[in-house]
Amino acid sequence: MDHHNPILITGASGFIGRQVCAQLTRARRPVLAMLRQPQQQLPALRAAVDSLGGEGSLLQAVAGDLDQPDLGLSEPLPALAAVIHLGARFAWQLPMASARRTNVDGALAVAQLAHQQQARLVFISGFMLENLAHLARLGIHLDDPEQTDWQNVYRHAGGYEASKLEAAIRVRHYARTQSLALVEVQPATVAGDSGNGQLDQQQPLYQLIDNLARGRMAAIPGTPEHWLPLVAVDLLARLIARAATADQVPATLLALDPATPSLKGLLGEAATALGRKPPRRFLPMPILAALLRIPGLPRLMNTWPEALHFIQTTRFDTRASDAFMAQEGLAHPPIGQVIAASTRFYQQQQVPGGDAAASPLQGP
Ligand SMILES: NC(=O)c1ccc[n+]([C@@H]2O[C@H](COP(=O)([O-])OP(=O)(O)OC[C@H]3O[C@@H](n4cnc5c(N)ncnc54)[C@H](OP(=O)(O)O)[C@@H]3O)[C@@H](O)[C@H]2O)c1
């Protein structure tokens, strides 16, 4: 890998992407961001990267779109050191066709580009790929994408999650058959920066805190064993950057802090930071799922049925990523501190007397 060649990154302007650009450029790695509107987006991205401790001047951009044939790239790319694929449509209630076009076809086009370039692909999937019982329940065949009834998976899991699962299975298959060097990073739900708690409004954890702050969480979904595994965005960004640049990297890196408390504990810590009473009663998942089938209620409760899949009782084996993190000198920041910082950041976003957080109703 030539250190002078840029690392191409899709989704650079997103919540995780900005932090990854900061980590890479801080380590003096040139970065080429594939952006839909480079003229408009690059100056803001450079400024964001600078403010995150990176080096915005090491960032260049190329126009590209995951929805276009051949990524809509109009100019030949320089030789690349690696490709990081973060770009995706990230929202609840995504129609199958558009989720598939961006998240599956777009991911395969990026894999082909990495293959042409003989560059390592760091592909960002999600931690649900490690919940094998969940995948089996959805009827997903891990080895052969053609054996799965994807329509059925989209019906049960919703457009976002189904397209992320399909993309991972298809990209793995492509990498196996084409001998592409693939590293799959599987993030848990992403929490704010461990220092200043920065968290975008459309992120699922922001919405959970918003629901709590607005008194929409009278009960805790599930049981005392249910949890929403988290990872701090700054640690995740370091991990993704190292996955692209380290010599020896495991094929999959589960980015999940096993010390994340149960959902009750998480809501308790966030409630304390908000100065509110935490919810104490539990609402069994089947009852919550049934309630959310009533038209209008998901919007009223600001909770989409497909979001409930991420709250579960499964525990995960993080030994491979723990060993890689130790090798790279990385460690999870204390998760209680991350939850508190994220909640404080949420509070800072609220305009006194205003309704600044009304927009999460639209997001994922
Ligand atoms: N956040 C989480 O909790 C979480 C957990 C597990 C996995 N992930 C995965 O991590 C990745 C990044 O997530 P995020 O939270 O950073 O999401 P995000 O803030 O919504 O960022 C999404 C990025 O994708 C880009 N994008 C969307 N459609 C595109 C298209 N057609 N062509 C080119 N770029 C396009 C967006 O560009 P614009 O700025 O132009 O819209 C943006 O840069 C996604 O693959 C997501 O599935 C996230």
Side-chain angles (χ1 to χ4, degrees):
M1 188 189 297
D2 189 332
H3 291 194
H4 302 293
N5 292 339
I7 294 174
L8 181 86
I9 170 164
T10 69
S13 54
F15 174 54
I16 303 169
R18 298 192 299 270
Q19 293 254 5
V20 175
C21 291
Q23 290 299 332
L24 287 168
T25 56
R26 190 184 192 150
R28 310 297 307 162
R29 293 294 190 137
V31 174
L32 185 59
M34 191 189 96
L35 299 172
R36 288 188 278 191
Q37 311 272 337
Q39 266 98 350
Q40 287 92 316
Q41 291 175 291
L42 183 60
L45 181 55
R46 282 189 170 145
V49 165
D50 285 337
S51 76
L52 289 166
E55 182 57 70
S57 61
L58 289 174
L59 193 70
Q60 304 294 331
V62 61
D65 187 336
L66 295 167
D67 292 343
Q68 300 299 320
D70 299 321
L71 300 170
L73 293 166
S74 54
E75 46 190 290
L77 295 178
L80 302 172
V83 175
I84 298 176
H85 180 49
L86 275 157
R89 247 176 232 256
F90 187 22
W92 305 134
Q93 304 285 292
L94 276 181
M96 178 172 174
S98 50
R100 237 183 173 171
R101 188 173 65 233
T102 312
N103 295 357
V104 182
D105 298 345
L108 282 168
V110 173
Q112 277 162 12
L113 173 74
H115 182 246
Q116 283 157 16
Q117 284 264 353
Q118 297 288 299
R120 178 189 299 169
L121 172 65
V122 179
F123 172 73
I124 316 306
S125 63
F127 77 110
M128 294 301 269
L129 266 306
E130 288 303 306
N131 186 336
L132 299 183
H134 177 65
L135 301 186
R137 271 194 301 277
L138 288 171
I140 290 178
H141 288 249
L142 290 170
D143 295 328
D144 183 359
E146 302 312 325
Q147 297 294 314
T148 299
D149 177 355
W150 289 108
Q151 294 265 0
N152 187 49
V153 176
Y154 279 77
R155 245 195 326 275
H156 284 94
Y160 170 69
E161 192 200 336
S163 63
K164 292 296 292 184
L165 299 176
E166 184 180 6
I169 305 289
R170 290 196 185 276
V171 166
R172 287 178 192 171
H173 187 257
Y174 177 84
R176 268 198 308 276
T177 52
Q178 303 294 319
S179 305
L180 167 69
L182 173 68
V183 177
E184 182 179 327
V185 180
Q186 305 169 316
T189 294
V190 183
D193 186 282
S194 60
N196 60 19
Q198 215 175 74
L199 183 64
D200 284 1
Q201 270 196 23
Q202 72 275 15
Q203 290 293 318
L205 181 64
Y206 191 102
Q207 293 179 32
L208 188 70
I209 297 170
D210 184 53
N211 278 344
L212 188 65
R214 289 168 186 268
R216 290 195 194 108
M217 298 220 52
I220 305 156
T223 65
E225 279 73 48
H226 277 81
W227 70 321
L228 179 67
L230 297 177
V231 61
V233 67
D234 45 329
L235 182 273
L236 173 62
R238 284 191 184 96
L239 192 66
I240 293 173
R242 301 298 174 91
T245 56
D247 289 336
Q248 297 290 327
V249 190
T252 51
L253 286 170
L254 182 57
L256 176 157
D257 188 342
T260 306
S262 67
L263 189 59
K264 178 174 192 274
L266 191 167
L267 292 172
E269 291 187 28
T272 305
L274 288 168
R276 288 187 72 96
K277 272 204 182 133
R280 299 203 181 280
R281 281 179 302 113
F282 290 94
L283 183 59
M285 281 295 184
I287 296 180
L288 185 51
L291 281 174
L292 292 176
R293 280 197 287 273
I294 299 171
L297 263 194
R299 200 163 278 281
L300 195 66
M301 293 166 74
N302 194 25
T303 302
W304 298 100
E306 55 197 285
L308 297 183
H309 285 165
F310 296 86
I311 297 169
Q312 54 196 300
T313 53
T314 308
R315 310 303 296 191
F316 296 85
D317 182 352
T318 56
R319 277 174 297 184
S321 44
D322 291 347
F324 177 69
M325 281 173 42
Q327 170 196 313
E328 296 296 316
L330 302 177
H332 287 288
I335 194 71
Q337 184 186 306
V338 175
I339 296 167
S342 305
T343 310
R344 276 196 304 274
F345 179 81
Y346 164 84
Q347 280 181 307
Q348 287 157 14
Q349 300 307 296
Q350 308 308 302
V351 183
D355 198 19
S359 63
L361 285 172
Q362 302 147 7

